[in-house]
Amino acid sequence: MAKFLLLKHYGLSPEGEPGHAPIFGWTPEEIDAHMAYQRQLIAELRESGEYVDVQALSNDSVLVRTGGEGAPPVVTDGPYAESKELVAGWYLIDVESKERAYEIAARVSAAPGAGGKPGDELLEVRPILSM
């Protein structure tokens, strides 16, 4: 088994262009349909033993760095790498192969989005290094 992180990217089309509305711009019914799909997929991954963790991220964030010796941390609202605008959450899975990780990522990508159509979300699939 190998662990993979599936990073959920919102707000971009499959071509990398802006246009897909992030979830906070959806109707309550669209959010409910999306979440029902996610819960069903999570249940299937639990049943197959491939589930490790799933988390959604809040849109709130700050950038923190050291303030130097004896000083408090410096907390600012940026500048960010693009993750604040892109990373919405993740799945952490434990699967037999990268191909299986790709299959699961494709299913996550197909969750209903705005208008009830498949969201066609971009998912970054990254192997977890074992130490």
Side-chain angles (χ1 to χ4, degrees), residues 3 19 23 25 31-32 43 46 48-49 53 59 69 83 87 98 104 109 121 126-127 130:
K3 289 186 177 136
I23 197 167
I31 293 170
D32 288 346
R46 284 182 196 270
S48 69
D53 187 38
N59 199 35
E69 191 173 328
S83 65
V87 178
K98 67 180 177 188
I104 295 169
S109 175
E121 298 174 85
R126 299 193 59 184
S130 60

Side-chain angles (χ1 to χ4, degrees), residues 53-114:
D53 187 38
V54 173
Q55 298 293 327
L57 296 174
S58 163
N59 199 35
D60 298 329
S61 64
V62 296
L63 193 69
V64 178
R65 67 175 174 82
T66 180
E69 191 173 328
V74 175
V75 180
T76 62
D77 185 27
Y80 292 99
E82 294 192 27
S83 65
K84 181 178 179 182
E85 289 79 27
L86 293 178
V87 178
W90 67 82
Y91 276 67
L92 183 58
I93 56 175
D94 196 358
V95 295
E96 291 292 334
S97 67
K98 67 180 177 188
E99 290 78 17
R100 178 63 179 144
Y102 298 162
E103 290 172 12
I104 295 169
R107 291 201 49 209
V108 174
S109 175

Side-chain angles (χ1 to χ4, degrees), residues 10 20-27 30-31 34-35 88:
Y10 284 126
H20 282 53
I23 197 167
F24 49 82
W26 298 356
T27 67
E30 292 166 342
I31 293 170
H34 181 82
M35 297 309 294

